Amino acid sequence: MISKWIILIIIALLIYWGIKNLQRASKQTRKSNNEIEDMVCCAHCGLHIPRNESIVAGKKYFCSIDHQKSHFKSTQ
């Protein structure tokens, strides 16, 4: 009789632990999805793009290699 109660308590604790882990993982996923990414403006065309997708030349950001080349050709 006591062994049945011990098994039920262990099962209940395992279920509780599993639900807590799922909630924690869900909360971490929501945080990472809501992070705001820095946006930069292309020095050639003015398009706003995420900083990690931009091409950096000097202190200027570009949306593509073509715009980087065009920008430096027009300034020389």
Side-chain angles (χ1 to χ4, degrees):
M1 181 75 172
I2 293 178
S3 63
K4 288 181 183 180
W5 282 106
I6 292 173
I7 291 173
L8 287 175
I9 290 172
I10 290 173
I11 290 172
L13 288 173
L14 288 173
I15 291 172
Y16 175 78
W17 177 75
I19 290 172
K20 281 294 195 183
N21 281 341
L22 287 174
Q23 288 175 343
R24 187 178 304 129
S26 174
K27 196 178 289 186
Q28 288 176 348
T29 302
R30 275 187 263 133
K31 283 182 183 178
S32 64
N33 289 343
N34 291 335
E35 289 181 10
I36 297 174
E37 192 170 345
D38 289 338
M39 300 292 283
V40 294
C41 184
C42 176
H44 185 72
C45 69
L47 178 71
H48 286 84
I49 52 175
R51 182 185 303 260
N52 67 344
E53 294 179 18
S54 67
I55 297 167
V56 182
K59 293 185 179 182
K60 297 182 180 185
Y61 299 96
F62 299 94
C63 62
S64 67
I65 293 175
D66 293 335
H67 280 191
Q68 177 190 9
K69 290 177 183 177
S70 297
H71 181 76
F72 286 116
K73 282 182 185 175
S74 66
T75 59
Q76 290 179 351

